[in-house]
Amino acid sequence: MSQKIEEKLLFELDSPGRRGASLPDLDVPEVSFSKALGSLARSQEPEALPELSEVDVVRHFTRLSAYNYSVDFGLYPLGSCTMKYNPKINEAVCRYEGLSGLHPLQDEATAQGALEVMHTLQGALCAISGMDACTLQPAAGAHGEFTGMQLIRAYHESRGNPRKVVLIPDSAHGTNPASAHFAGYAVEEFKSGADGCVDVEALKARMSEEVAAIMLTVPNTLGIFEKNIKAVCEILHAKGGQVYVDGANLNALMGITRPGDWGADVMHINLHKTFSTPHGGGGPGAGPVACKAHLEPFLPVPVVVKKGERYAFDYQRPLTIGKVHCFYGNFLVLVRALAYIETMGNEGLKRASELAVLNANYLRAKLKGKLELGFDGPTLHEVVFCDKGMPNGVTTMDIAKRLIDYGFHPPTVYFPLIVHGAIMIEPTETEPREEMDRFVNAVEAIVAEARDNPDMVKKAPHNAFRKRLDEVAAARTPRLVWRKG
Ligand SMILES: *Cc1c(COP(=O)(O)O)cnc(C)c1O
């Protein structure tokens, strides 16, 4: 975006005497704010809020909203994040008053429709993943991982030994080791074979009864389907281990193949990735966990069950790991996901996965020869390039920053860690070909600039208010409070 005026803070726009409303003169006695509140008033003086007119405030927020890059604005090619377009019908459905007006402590008898929504969604997620049971409580993918690892721990404990180690391949998302560690396990990194998949012989040699589980992302973060997945499951199960599938990349598989059928025991599903709910900017999300029947007794309470024609919350579960979220999870996010699943239908979901893979392979074919591939095997819904061979020392970071000038959100960069200078692109099925071509043209132009005018790329972005930020300081010592003067 190319606005040249940077929007000021409301405090900086302050203009003493301006008012947001004009009201007729009082015809009742005036009572001061602090008097009306009495001892509840925290101060005698009103806070020094900025004084502004209505139009000042409306323009301020409208301008700010236009600074955001969103999937409603253009391609958002963040690999592994599945930034697909979120259909507006999801928003319409979750705003129905009968759903949005519910109170979480309302009696079950008066919320049968809401319970049916949850029960139906649990069933749909089990059908899509090939699992037997599901909890909708976890608030995100990482929270789902932690929940799933707790299920595995509780299962092993119920058999007398929680075990010690969780194996995680070097291509894994950083949340995997964090979740396993949080669940009390030692994390052991497992090297991928030359083909980007698990080395079955090495796994066989390593597997022992101290290993609680393996955590595998399928397809993995290189976009590669784990071709040895059945063998991996057999090796783990032969020694009583469990297979955790990180289902963040389920968008490549819907209606085509199911983790439950491979032998996986438990997985999480990112509704904000695969099932078109907003990614939230830290807001409410949902990362349901689906599992096989042997893990069901440990699921968080309450579980939504159907008894005859009635739906109910089941709290009577002696082996439960407890609650992982207040109430029942982020209900209106669940409604959005079910709206998506119901509007797509079986065929629609399958088609979405097919097109997601097709679009990624279209970009791969178009960009090959312009950027170097990070890994040269067949890939599914995402493709990883890298900055190898870029002229004049231009790096992945430079390319990402320059893409901002061309009006794109940059792809995921420097992940997965096993590809040096990775540029990871996931267009998703909702991108039209014209938008992907626009992106290809931008990358092509940047590669030409890297050769002919490298400073243009190295000093990018030129059209953004902020140039190169000190990213470490921004993360470690953020200034979150505005102070006058
Ligand atoms: C996104 C992602 C996660 C974590 O999901 P959040 O909802 O962001 O917590 C885990 N693993 C992979 C492979 C992912 O892409």
Side-chain angles (χ1 to χ4, degrees), residues 155-225:
Y155 166 77
H156 285 307
E157 268 169 2
S158 76
R159 294 157 57 96
N161 177 4
R163 303 194 170 198
K164 291 203 171 77
V165 176
V166 172
L167 303 176
I168 302 182
D170 50 6
S171 59
H173 197 262
T175 51
N176 288 189
S179 301
H181 175 76
F182 245 64
Y185 286 115
V187 172
E188 194 173 303
E189 189 177 277
F190 201 75
K191 274 215 167 321
S192 310
D195 58 357
C197 293
V198 171
D199 179 339
V200 174
E201 289 312 315
L203 179 65
K204 231 184 237 164
R206 169 62 189 96
M207 186 58 200
S208 73
E209 288 183 2
E210 66 167 8
V211 174
I214 190 167
M215 288 183 95
L216 274 185
T217 305
V218 189
N220 69 17
T221 54
L222 290 167
I224 301 171
F225 188 82

Side-chain angles (χ1 to χ4, degrees), residues 44 73 100 104 135 176 197 206 223 238 255 297 326 332 360 388 433 474:
Q44 296 307 302
F73 183 87
S100 63
T135 174
N176 288 189
C197 293
R206 169 62 189 96
C326 57
L332 294 176
K388 198 166 148 202
R433 184 169 166 178

Side-chain angles (χ1 to χ4, degrees), residues 83-407:
M83 305 295 289
K84 64 168 75 175
Y85 172 71
N86 302 162
K88 299 299 173 228
I89 191 171
N90 300 354
E91 297 302 316
V93 171
C94 80
R95 281 167 174 72
Y96 288 156
E97 208 183 312
L99 299 171
S100 63
L102 286 172
H103 192 283
L105 294 177
Q106 206 162 313
D107 191 85
E108 279 169 17
T110 65
Q112 284 293 303
L115 268 64
E116 185 176 356
V117 164
M118 288 193 270
H119 194 263
T120 309
L121 179 61
Q122 287 174 186
L125 295 177
C126 285
I128 292 166
S129 60
M131 295 292 183
D132 303 320
C134 177
T135 174
L136 304 173
Q137 273 186 38
H143 193 198
E145 289 170 27
F146 179 50
T147 304
M149 292 318 287
Q150 283 179 295
L151 296 181
I152 288 175
R153 189 172 190 94
Y155 166 77
H156 285 307
E157 268 169 2
S158 76
R159 294 157 57 96
N161 177 4
R163 303 194 170 198
K164 291 203 171 77
V165 176
V166 172
L167 303 176
I168 302 182
D170 50 6
S171 59
H173 197 262
T175 51
N176 288 189
S179 301
H181 175 76
F182 245 64
Y185 286 115
V187 172
E188 194 173 303
E189 189 177 277
F190 201 75
K191 274 215 167 321
S192 310
D195 58 357
C197 293
V198 171
D199 179 339
V200 174
E201 289 312 315
L203 179 65
K204 231 184 237 164
R206 169 62 189 96
M207 186 58 200
S208 73
E209 288 183 2
E210 66 167 8
V211 174
I214 190 167
M215 288 183 95
L216 274 185
T217 305
V218 189
N220 69 17
T221 54
L222 290 167
I224 301 171
F225 188 82
E226 177 54 66
K227 64 180 192 304
N228 304 319
I229 185 66
K230 278 198 156 168
V232 169
C233 293
E234 281 161 18
I235 293 168
L236 264 287
H237 291 157
K239 296 239 162 82
Q242 297 285 288
V243 177
Y244 185 99
V245 165
D246 177 332
N249 291 337
L250 188 60
N251 206 44
L253 308 177
M254 291 184 293
I256 298 166
T257 179
R258 310 191 306 170
D261 298 337
W262 314 331
D265 300 290
V266 51
M267 70 184 291
H268 75 264
I269 297 166
N270 300 59
L271 297 190
H272 46 293
K273 293 180 182 173
T274 314
F275 296 103
S276 83
T277 68
H279 275 64
V289 168
C291 65
K292 287 284 174 60
H294 65 279
L295 295 175
E296 182 174 5
F298 309 100
L299 284 178
V301 281
V303 174
V304 186
V305 293
K306 191 173 184 190
K307 293 180 183 158
E309 287 308 300
R310 311 291 294 169
Y311 296 92
F313 287 122
D314 181 7
Y315 287 89
Q316 300 312 316
R317 300 195 152 233
L319 295 176
T320 178
I321 60 166
K323 258 180 167 311
V324 300
H325 194 285
C326 57
F327 303 115
Y328 326 110
N330 286 315
F331 176 65
L332 294 176
V333 176
L334 307 177
V335 173
R336 287 176 173 91
L338 185 61
Y340 176 74
I341 290 171
E342 296 280 0
T343 50
M344 296 293 277
N346 287 349
E347 281 309 306
L349 292 176
K350 183 175 178 202
R351 188 88 184 117
S353 285
E354 289 169 350
L355 290 176
V357 173
L358 180 64
N359 277 358
N361 279 278
Y362 179 76
L363 278 183
R364 179 188 161 115
K366 286 275 180 176
L367 290 175
K368 209 174 145 180
K370 300 179 178 75
L371 296 174
E372 185 106 7
L373 276 171
F375 182 84
D376 197 12
T379 48
L380 294 181
H381 65 300
E382 61 197 1
V383 54
V384 182
F385 290 97
C386 63
D387 57 7
K388 198 166 148 202
M390 284 303 286
N392 298 313
V394 164
T395 65
T396 288
M397 183 62 82
D398 301 330
I399 297 170
K401 296 291 186 193
R402 186 66 177 139
L403 275 167
I404 296 172
D405 289 335
Y406 281 88

